Amino acid sequence: MNEGASPATATPDGNPRPPVEHVLLDLRGKIQPRSVRGRYASWRVAMVLFTQAIFYGLPWLNWNGRQALLFDLSARKFHIFWLTLWPQDIVYLAALLIISALSLFLFTALAGRLFCGYACPQTVYTEIFMWIERQVEGDRQARLRLDKAPWTARKTRLKVTKHAAWFAVAVWTGFTFIGYFAPIRDLGHALVTLQLSYWQGFWMLLFGFATWGNAGFLRESVCKYMCPYARFQSVMFDPDTLLVTYDQRRGDPRGGRSRQLDHRAAGLGDCVDCSLCVQVCPTGIDIRNGLQYMCIGCGACIDACSQVMKKMRYPAGLIRYTSETALRQAGGDADLGRHWRRALRRPRVLVYAAVIALLVIGLQLALAMRNPLRLDLIRDRGILAREVAGGLIENVYQLQLINTASRPLTLRLQASGLPDMTVEFVRGGAGEVAEIAAESNRLLPIRLRVPAGAASPGAHPVQVQAVEVEAASAAPIRARESTSFYIPE
């Protein structure tokens, strides 16, 4: 052993632990978690079913004759049920992302990494892939034996079956993901008839390959070494944050014993050092070594330890969800109501909740007051100004009408800013009415005219307004856009 290296110690499995300088070699080792049943395992299964029902089901829902949730990049429209957002509405999407991020911060301050353990896509798909692996290859010991065994027809068959099932789930996941950005029914028809476009096929296979690699091979490495959330979570924790915690005062000293032994008289704690909490951990950590950033808060170790405590006829809760403050207090976390009342009064929790509430209220007000009609007015670069028959000065523009409402609009254009100003469509006469379909845009060339001598030469500010002709309510929809009108010398 090199000078300064840590001595080898025994792992919970009884095998010698390598020195510190060889830890990097261990990072390549494959973790084979043991299956476990219990309250938190049932919650994880329920969350997998819930999240995947949403993910796989949402693209197939319809709303007013279109896909309910569709980020249509080609049409530059985002459909979110009754709401249609355009590129100009990116501020609303930014607000949603900010609210989601702050909600994650709030939830982390209260309950640690429960999102990671139950709802994170990496965790969810790892659970799905590990379930497939257990169904094909067996539980932990069977998989360990299979990995060490030489390649035979049986091993080849099991590995091929597992990866085929993984690949099917991964490709379907990639297909569903693309279905959020292209109409999924058209995408399904194109897939069945082998008419997918190059880019659709590319992205579907790319995201499928990412799912297959992350959930099938990288697994815990994503949580431990790639996810930035694991690194900055500690700044959101405090002594009142609810975490998966080992009760060291109760559990130590550890040691094996028979159920008939009076372990207290023998100077032992409640921990029998069975290492099941390590074997079931999806990231391969030992929760008994204290809080670690690799812990995703899934509660698998709680289920495993609770089963052992039940067999040993010891009280449950040697490993449990609790906080540092509750552990320090006499009686532990018996009064969870008092714990939550204290946790909810923390300054950071109050600040997070207040900011989230203000953002939600502001977003709702902004959406409620949002004008469904928008105008974009761009001057024709080829024609600055010109004099036409009748002693009129004419400027030409490109007018873009954007209707975000779920119904068509009939609009009349009006112009103001200079005396006797009129607005005309290039292909029509003055006072022509424009129609625009629901949730669509329309580009129209228009011209503004004023009598020669109506104003001094130069640029003058003017406005173009579109007003709904047949309003569905007392207040017609209207929108206004400012521009400049140029009069030559």
mmCIF file of all heavy atoms in Angstrom, residues 229-267:
data_model
loop_
_atom_site.group_PDB
_atom_site.id
_atom_site.type_symbol
_atom_site.label_atom_id
_atom_site.label_comp_id
_atom_site.label_asym_id
_atom_site.label_seq_id
_atom_site.Cartn_x
_atom_site.Cartn_y
_atom_site.Cartn_z
ATOM 1 N N TYR A 229 -28.462 19.077 -9.871
ATOM 2 C CA TYR A 229 -29.326 19.223 -8.701
ATOM 3 C C TYR A 229 -28.714 18.557 -7.475
ATOM 4 O O TYR A 229 -28.843 19.045 -6.355
ATOM 5 C CB TYR A 229 -30.694 18.632 -9.017
ATOM 6 C CG TYR A 229 -31.699 18.745 -7.898
ATOM 7 C CD1 TYR A 229 -31.983 19.975 -7.323
ATOM 8 C CD2 TYR A 229 -32.376 17.623 -7.443
ATOM 9 C CE1 TYR A 229 -32.922 20.086 -6.307
ATOM 10 C CE2 TYR A 229 -33.314 17.729 -6.430
ATOM 11 C CZ TYR A 229 -33.580 18.954 -5.859
ATOM 12 O OH TYR A 229 -34.500 19.062 -4.861
ATOM 13 N N ALA A 230 -28.018 17.425 -7.691
ATOM 14 C CA ALA A 230 -27.391 16.737 -6.569
ATOM 15 C C ALA A 230 -26.306 17.585 -5.933
ATOM 16 O O ALA A 230 -26.024 17.439 -4.736
ATOM 17 C CB ALA A 230 -26.806 15.404 -7.038
ATOM 18 N N ARG A 231 -25.699 18.470 -6.697
ATOM 19 C CA ARG A 231 -24.575 19.257 -6.196
ATOM 20 C C ARG A 231 -25.017 20.482 -5.409
ATOM 21 O O ARG A 231 -24.367 20.845 -4.438
ATOM 22 C CB ARG A 231 -23.688 19.699 -7.371
ATOM 23 C CG ARG A 231 -23.099 18.525 -8.158
ATOM 24 C CD ARG A 231 -22.161 17.704 -7.324
ATOM 25 N NE ARG A 231 -21.614 16.574 -8.063
ATOM 26 C CZ ARG A 231 -20.685 15.760 -7.584
ATOM 27 N NH1 ARG A 231 -20.220 15.954 -6.371
ATOM 28 N NH2 ARG A 231 -20.246 14.756 -8.312
ATOM 29 N N PHE A 232 -26.114 21.132 -5.834
ATOM 30 C CA PHE A 232 -26.482 22.348 -5.120
ATOM 31 C C PHE A 232 -27.643 22.139 -4.156
ATOM 32 O O PHE A 232 -28.140 23.088 -3.558
ATOM 33 C CB PHE A 232 -26.788 23.494 -6.089
ATOM 34 C CG PHE A 232 -27.992 23.306 -6.955
ATOM 35 C CD1 PHE A 232 -29.264 23.426 -6.443
ATOM 36 C CD2 PHE A 232 -27.854 23.027 -8.309
ATOM 37 C CE1 PHE A 232 -30.375 23.276 -7.240
ATOM 38 C CE2 PHE A 232 -28.964 22.877 -9.117
ATOM 39 C CZ PHE A 232 -30.228 23.002 -8.577
ATOM 40 N N GLN A 233 -28.095 20.870 -3.980
ATOM 41 C CA GLN A 233 -29.198 20.631 -3.070
ATOM 42 C C GLN A 233 -28.851 20.993 -1.632
ATOM 43 O O GLN A 233 -29.719 21.408 -0.853
ATOM 44 C CB GLN A 233 -29.618 19.165 -3.126
ATOM 45 C CG GLN A 233 -28.502 18.212 -2.705
ATOM 46 C CD GLN A 233 -29.006 16.814 -2.468
ATOM 47 O OE1 GLN A 233 -30.142 16.625 -2.082
ATOM 48 N NE2 GLN A 233 -28.157 15.834 -2.694
ATOM 49 N N SER A 234 -27.569 20.862 -1.252
ATOM 50 C CA SER A 234 -27.192 21.086 0.140
ATOM 51 C C SER A 234 -27.470 22.514 0.580
ATOM 52 O O SER A 234 -27.738 22.769 1.762
ATOM 53 C CB SER A 234 -25.714 20.752 0.339
ATOM 54 O OG SER A 234 -24.906 21.538 -0.517
ATOM 55 N N VAL A 235 -27.429 23.471 -0.354
ATOM 56 C CA VAL A 235 -27.692 24.858 0.032
ATOM 57 C C VAL A 235 -29.173 25.083 0.312
ATOM 58 O O VAL A 235 -29.536 26.121 0.888
ATOM 59 C CB VAL A 235 -27.202 25.833 -1.060
ATOM 60 C CG1 VAL A 235 -25.731 25.649 -1.313
ATOM 61 C CG2 VAL A 235 -27.996 25.656 -2.354
ATOM 62 N N MET A 236 -30.033 24.147 -0.092
ATOM 63 C CA MET A 236 -31.467 24.272 0.165
ATOM 64 C C MET A 236 -31.899 23.472 1.386
ATOM 65 O O MET A 236 -33.057 23.526 1.786
ATOM 66 C CB MET A 236 -32.260 23.821 -1.063
ATOM 67 C CG MET A 236 -32.076 24.724 -2.264
ATOM 68 S SD MET A 236 -33.078 24.216 -3.668
ATOM 69 C CE MET A 236 -32.129 22.815 -4.261
ATOM 70 N N PHE A 237 -30.984 22.684 1.969
ATOM 71 C CA PHE A 237 -31.292 21.906 3.155
ATOM 72 C C PHE A 237 -30.988 22.724 4.403
ATOM 73 O O PHE A 237 -30.106 23.585 4.406
ATOM 74 C CB PHE A 237 -30.470 20.617 3.202
ATOM 75 C CG PHE A 237 -30.880 19.587 2.182
ATOM 76 C CD1 PHE A 237 -30.193 18.391 2.075
ATOM 77 C CD2 PHE A 237 -31.942 19.803 1.339
ATOM 78 C CE1 PHE A 237 -30.554 17.438 1.141
ATOM 79 C CE2 PHE A 237 -32.318 18.860 0.388
ATOM 80 C CZ PHE A 237 -31.621 17.675 0.295
ATOM 81 N N ASP A 238 -31.720 22.448 5.458
ATOM 82 C CA ASP A 238 -31.405 23.003 6.769
ATOM 83 C C ASP A 238 -31.812 21.959 7.808
ATOM 84 O O ASP A 238 -32.336 20.892 7.456
ATOM 85 C CB ASP A 238 -32.093 24.345 6.986
ATOM 86 C CG ASP A 238 -33.609 24.284 6.884
ATOM 87 O OD1 ASP A 238 -34.197 23.259 7.266
ATOM 88 O OD2 ASP A 238 -34.220 25.267 6.433
ATOM 89 N N PRO A 239 -31.596 22.200 9.094
ATOM 90 C CA PRO A 239 -31.890 21.169 10.113
ATOM 91 C C PRO A 239 -33.343 20.730 10.166
ATOM 92 O O PRO A 239 -33.638 19.692 10.761
ATOM 93 C CB PRO A 239 -31.464 21.855 11.421
ATOM 94 C CG PRO A 239 -30.402 22.809 11.016
ATOM 95 C CD PRO A 239 -30.826 23.329 9.676
ATOM 96 N N ASP A 240 -34.273 21.491 9.565
ATOM 97 C CA ASP A 240 -35.681 21.101 9.601
ATOM 98 C C ASP A 240 -36.161 20.449 8.308
ATOM 99 O O ASP A 240 -37.352 20.184 8.160
ATOM 100 C CB ASP A 240 -36.551 22.329 9.890
ATOM 101 C CG ASP A 240 -36.423 22.781 11.335
ATOM 102 O OD1 ASP A 240 -36.498 21.927 12.224
ATOM 103 O OD2 ASP A 240 -36.227 23.989 11.563
ATOM 104 N N THR A 241 -35.266 20.203 7.358
ATOM 105 C CA THR A 241 -35.648 19.534 6.117
ATOM 106 C C THR A 241 -35.850 18.042 6.377
ATOM 107 O O THR A 241 -35.044 17.394 7.045
ATOM 108 C CB THR A 241 -34.567 19.725 5.050
ATOM 109 O OG1 THR A 241 -34.416 21.122 4.789
ATOM 110 C CG2 THR A 241 -34.945 19.022 3.756
ATOM 111 N N LEU A 242 -36.927 17.495 5.840
ATOM 112 C CA LEU A 242 -37.244 16.080 6.020
ATOM 113 C C LEU A 242 -36.375 15.240 5.089
ATOM 114 O O LEU A 242 -36.396 15.437 3.875
ATOM 115 C CB LEU A 242 -38.724 15.842 5.718
ATOM 116 C CG LEU A 242 -39.389 14.632 6.378
ATOM 117 C CD1 LEU A 242 -39.371 14.757 7.887
ATOM 118 C CD2 LEU A 242 -40.818 14.486 5.878
ATOM 119 N N LEU A 243 -35.611 14.305 5.657
ATOM 120 C CA LEU A 243 -34.663 13.500 4.891
ATOM 121 C C LEU A 243 -34.734 12.049 5.310
ATOM 122 O O LEU A 243 -35.215 11.727 6.403
ATOM 123 C CB LEU A 243 -33.228 14.019 5.106
ATOM 124 C CG LEU A 243 -32.952 15.485 4.802
ATOM 125 C CD1 LEU A 243 -31.582 15.874 5.328
ATOM 126 C CD2 LEU A 243 -33.027 15.733 3.309
ATOM 127 N N VAL A 244 -34.224 11.162 4.457
ATOM 128 C CA VAL A 244 -34.036 9.765 4.843
ATOM 129 C C VAL A 244 -32.816 9.715 5.765
ATOM 130 O O VAL A 244 -31.711 10.084 5.368
ATOM 131 C CB VAL A 244 -33.818 8.863 3.613
ATOM 132 C CG1 VAL A 244 -33.542 7.437 4.049
ATOM 133 C CG2 VAL A 244 -35.029 8.921 2.692
ATOM 134 N N THR A 245 -33.015 9.282 6.994
ATOM 135 C CA THR A 245 -31.981 9.398 8.015
ATOM 136 C C THR A 245 -31.876 8.106 8.820
ATOM 137 O O THR A 245 -32.888 7.479 9.163
ATOM 138 C CB THR A 245 -32.292 10.569 8.969
ATOM 139 O OG1 THR A 245 -32.546 11.743 8.205
ATOM 140 C CG2 THR A 245 -31.131 10.834 9.907
ATOM 141 N N TYR A 246 -30.644 7.738 9.126
ATOM 142 C CA TYR A 246 -30.354 6.604 10.010
ATOM 143 C C TYR A 246 -30.180 7.142 11.427
ATOM 144 O O TYR A 246 -29.397 8.070 11.660
ATOM 145 C CB TYR A 246 -29.086 5.891 9.540
ATOM 146 C CG TYR A 246 -28.515 4.899 10.512
ATOM 147 C CD1 TYR A 246 -29.137 3.680 10.755
ATOM 148 C CD2 TYR A 246 -27.320 5.167 11.184
ATOM 149 C CE1 TYR A 246 -28.598 2.763 11.646
ATOM 150 C CE2 TYR A 246 -26.764 4.259 12.062
ATOM 151 C CZ TYR A 246 -27.413 3.059 12.297
ATOM 152 O OH TYR A 246 -26.869 2.144 13.169
ATOM 153 N N ASP A 247 -30.894 6.548 12.392
ATOM 154 C CA ASP A 247 -30.821 6.979 13.789
ATOM 155 C C ASP A 247 -29.600 6.332 14.429
ATOM 156 O O ASP A 247 -29.662 5.201 14.914
ATOM 157 C CB ASP A 247 -32.097 6.582 14.525
ATOM 158 C CG ASP A 247 -32.219 7.262 15.886
ATOM 159 O OD1 ASP A 247 -31.180 7.737 16.391
ATOM 160 O OD2 ASP A 247 -33.327 7.305 16.426
ATOM 161 N N GLN A 248 -28.497 7.060 14.401
ATOM 162 C CA GLN A 248 -27.234 6.493 14.866
ATOM 163 C C GLN A 248 -27.254 6.198 16.357
ATOM 164 O O GLN A 248 -26.698 5.193 16.813
ATOM 165 C CB GLN A 248 -26.090 7.453 14.535
ATOM 166 C CG GLN A 248 -24.707 6.873 14.764
ATOM 167 C CD GLN A 248 -23.622 7.824 14.292
ATOM 168 O OE1 GLN A 248 -23.859 9.015 14.126
ATOM 169 N NE2 GLN A 248 -22.441 7.286 14.073
ATOM 170 N N ARG A 249 -27.900 7.063 17.144
ATOM 171 C CA ARG A 249 -27.932 6.842 18.586
ATOM 172 C C ARG A 249 -28.637 5.541 18.940
ATOM 173 O O ARG A 249 -28.244 4.844 19.878
ATOM 174 C CB ARG A 249 -28.643 8.006 19.276
ATOM 175 C CG ARG A 249 -27.877 9.324 19.224
ATOM 176 C CD ARG A 249 -28.593 10.385 20.013
ATOM 177 N NE ARG A 249 -29.938 10.630 19.497
ATOM 178 C CZ ARG A 249 -30.804 11.502 20.041
ATOM 179 N NH1 ARG A 249 -30.449 12.191 21.105
ATOM 180 N NH2 ARG A 249 -31.989 11.683 19.512
ATOM 181 N N ARG A 250 -29.639 5.214 18.159
ATOM 182 C CA ARG A 250 -30.372 3.978 18.423
ATOM 183 C C ARG A 250 -29.716 2.766 17.778
ATOM 184 O O ARG A 250 -29.721 1.675 18.334
ATOM 185 C CB ARG A 250 -31.804 4.123 17.911
ATOM 186 C CG ARG A 250 -32.613 2.851 17.998
ATOM 187 C CD ARG A 250 -33.979 3.029 17.354
ATOM 188 N NE ARG A 250 -34.524 1.741 16.965
ATOM 189 C CZ ARG A 250 -35.631 1.577 16.255
ATOM 190 N NH1 ARG A 250 -36.319 2.635 15.855
ATOM 191 N NH2 ARG A 250 -36.056 0.364 15.929
ATOM 192 N N GLY A 251 -29.118 2.937 16.611
ATOM 193 C CA GLY A 251 -28.618 1.788 15.855
ATOM 194 C C GLY A 251 -27.234 1.321 16.228
ATOM 195 O O GLY A 251 -26.922 0.123 16.100
ATOM 196 N N ASP A 252 -26.356 2.217 16.654
ATOM 197 C CA ASP A 252 -24.976 1.836 16.959
ATOM 198 C C ASP A 252 -24.821 1.490 18.442
ATOM 199 O O ASP A 252 -25.547 2.020 19.288
ATOM 200 C CB ASP A 252 -24.026 2.980 16.586
ATOM 201 C CG ASP A 252 -23.941 3.186 15.084
ATOM 202 O OD1 ASP A 252 -24.444 2.319 14.352
ATOM 203 O OD2 ASP A 252 -23.399 4.225 14.647
ATOM 204 N N PRO A 253 -23.844 0.609 18.748
ATOM 205 C CA PRO A 253 -22.942 -0.158 17.873
ATOM 206 C C PRO A 253 -23.701 -1.238 17.100
ATOM 207 O O PRO A 253 -24.634 -1.840 17.595
ATOM 208 C CB PRO A 253 -21.932 -0.786 18.826
ATOM 209 C CG PRO A 253 -22.114 -0.079 20.125
ATOM 210 C CD PRO A 253 -23.536 0.381 20.171
ATOM 211 N N ARG A 254 -23.269 -1.452 15.848
ATOM 212 C CA ARG A 254 -23.911 -2.444 14.994
ATOM 213 C C ARG A 254 -23.316 -3.823 15.241
ATOM 214 O O ARG A 254 -22.182 -3.950 15.690
ATOM 215 C CB ARG A 254 -23.730 -2.074 13.526
ATOM 216 C CG ARG A 254 -24.050 -0.640 13.181
ATOM 217 C CD ARG A 254 -23.573 -0.296 11.789
ATOM 218 N NE ARG A 254 -23.491 1.152 11.572
ATOM 219 C CZ ARG A 254 -22.897 1.709 10.555
ATOM 220 N NH1 ARG A 254 -22.314 0.940 9.639
ATOM 221 N NH2 ARG A 254 -22.865 3.023 10.433
ATOM 222 N N GLY A 255 -24.062 -4.828 14.850
ATOM 223 C CA GLY A 255 -23.537 -6.178 14.964
ATOM 224 C C GLY A 255 -24.621 -7.220 14.784
ATOM 225 O O GLY A 255 -25.795 -6.985 15.090
ATOM 226 N N GLY A 256 -24.211 -8.397 14.284
ATOM 227 C CA GLY A 256 -25.156 -9.487 14.125
ATOM 228 C C GLY A 256 -25.495 -10.107 15.462
ATOM 229 O O GLY A 256 -24.714 -10.077 16.410
ATOM 230 N N ARG A 257 -26.664 -10.707 15.556
ATOM 231 C CA ARG A 257 -27.104 -11.365 16.780
ATOM 232 C C ARG A 257 -28.326 -12.220 16.473
ATOM 233 O O ARG A 257 -28.947 -12.077 15.404
ATOM 234 C CB ARG A 257 -27.417 -10.329 17.870
ATOM 235 C CG ARG A 257 -28.786 -9.630 17.844
ATOM 236 C CD ARG A 257 -28.993 -8.683 16.658
ATOM 237 N NE ARG A 257 -28.003 -7.635 16.530
ATOM 238 C CZ ARG A 257 -28.129 -6.430 17.087
ATOM 239 N NH1 ARG A 257 -29.211 -6.143 17.786
ATOM 240 N NH2 ARG A 257 -27.224 -5.483 16.892
ATOM 241 N N SER A 258 -28.656 -13.093 17.385
ATOM 242 C CA SER A 258 -29.874 -13.887 17.264
ATOM 243 C C SER A 258 -31.036 -13.075 17.834
ATOM 244 O O SER A 258 -30.834 -12.122 18.599
ATOM 245 C CB SER A 258 -29.746 -15.202 18.025
ATOM 246 O OG SER A 258 -29.646 -14.969 19.421
ATOM 247 N N ARG A 259 -32.238 -13.470 17.466
ATOM 248 C CA ARG A 259 -33.395 -12.729 17.923
ATOM 249 C C ARG A 259 -33.608 -12.879 19.431
ATOM 250 O O ARG A 259 -34.199 -12.021 20.077
ATOM 251 C CB ARG A 259 -34.636 -13.201 17.164
ATOM 252 C CG ARG A 259 -35.856 -12.347 17.376
ATOM 253 C CD ARG A 259 -36.915 -12.596 16.336
ATOM 254 N NE ARG A 259 -37.326 -13.999 16.314
ATOM 255 C CZ ARG A 259 -38.198 -14.502 15.444
ATOM 256 N NH1 ARG A 259 -38.714 -13.717 14.506
ATOM 257 N NH2 ARG A 259 -38.519 -15.772 15.477
ATOM 258 N N GLN A 260 -33.113 -13.966 20.005
ATOM 259 C CA GLN A 260 -33.304 -14.207 21.430
ATOM 260 C C GLN A 260 -32.330 -13.407 22.297
ATOM 261 O O GLN A 260 -32.513 -13.274 23.507
ATOM 262 C CB GLN A 260 -33.131 -15.702 21.754
ATOM 263 C CG GLN A 260 -34.268 -16.582 21.238
ATOM 264 C CD GLN A 260 -34.200 -16.770 19.730
ATOM 265 O OE1 GLN A 260 -33.123 -16.715 19.151
ATOM 266 N NE2 GLN A 260 -35.358 -17.008 19.114
ATOM 267 N N LEU A 261 -31.270 -12.860 21.709
ATOM 268 C CA LEU A 261 -30.251 -12.153 22.483
ATOM 269 C C LEU A 261 -30.770 -10.804 22.965
ATOM 270 O O LEU A 261 -31.426 -10.081 22.221
ATOM 271 C CB LEU A 261 -29.000 -11.934 21.616
ATOM 272 C CG LEU A 261 -27.857 -11.130 22.258
ATOM 273 C CD1 LEU A 261 -27.207 -11.932 23.377
ATOM 274 C CD2 LEU A 261 -26.831 -10.739 21.217
ATOM 275 N N ASP A 262 -30.461 -10.478 24.227
ATOM 276 C CA ASP A 262 -30.745 -9.144 24.745
ATOM 277 C C ASP A 262 -29.623 -8.232 24.275
ATOM 278 O O ASP A 262 -28.575 -8.122 24.910
ATOM 279 C CB ASP A 262 -30.817 -9.182 26.275
ATOM 280 C CG ASP A 262 -31.239 -7.831 26.872
ATOM 281 O OD1 ASP A 262 -31.341 -6.856 26.092
ATOM 282 O OD2 ASP A 262 -31.437 -7.759 28.095
ATOM 283 N N HIS A 263 -29.838 -7.592 23.127
ATOM 284 C CA HIS A 263 -28.749 -6.849 22.510
ATOM 285 C C HIS A 263 -28.342 -5.624 23.319
ATOM 286 O O HIS A 263 -27.196 -5.190 23.260
ATOM 287 C CB HIS A 263 -29.126 -6.431 21.082
ATOM 288 C CG HIS A 263 -30.309 -5.518 20.995
ATOM 289 N ND1 HIS A 263 -31.587 -5.926 21.285
ATOM 290 C CD2 HIS A 263 -30.400 -4.204 20.651
ATOM 291 C CE1 HIS A 263 -32.429 -4.918 21.105
ATOM 292 N NE2 HIS A 263 -31.724 -3.848 20.715
ATOM 293 N N ARG A 264 -29.280 -5.047 24.082
ATOM 294 C CA ARG A 264 -28.914 -3.911 24.917
ATOM 295 C C ARG A 264 -27.948 -4.326 26.008
ATOM 296 O O ARG A 264 -26.958 -3.640 26.283
ATOM 297 C CB ARG A 264 -30.168 -3.292 25.539
ATOM 298 C CG ARG A 264 -31.134 -2.683 24.534
ATOM 299 C CD ARG A 264 -30.475 -1.549 23.754
ATOM 300 N NE ARG A 264 -31.405 -0.934 22.804
ATOM 301 C CZ ARG A 264 -31.071 -0.049 21.906
ATOM 302 N NH1 ARG A 264 -29.799 0.322 21.798
ATOM 303 N NH2 ARG A 264 -31.960 0.450 21.077
ATOM 304 N N ALA A 265 -28.223 -5.471 26.612
ATOM 305 C CA ALA A 265 -27.322 -5.971 27.653
ATOM 306 C C ALA A 265 -25.963 -6.316 27.061
ATOM 307 O O ALA A 265 -24.929 -6.220 27.739
ATOM 308 C CB ALA A 265 -27.938 -7.195 28.335
ATOM 309 N N ALA A 266 -25.963 -6.734 25.774
ATOM 310 C CA ALA A 266 -24.701 -7.082 25.116
ATOM 311 C C ALA A 266 -23.973 -5.853 24.573
ATOM 312 O O ALA A 266 -22.912 -5.985 23.960
ATOM 313 C CB ALA A 266 -24.966 -8.072 23.991
ATOM 314 N N GLY A 267 -24.530 -4.684 24.775
ATOM 315 C CA GLY A 267 -23.880 -3.452 24.318
ATOM 316 C C GLY A 267 -24.048 -3.180 22.842
ATOM 317 O O GLY A 267 -23.223 -2.473 22.250
#
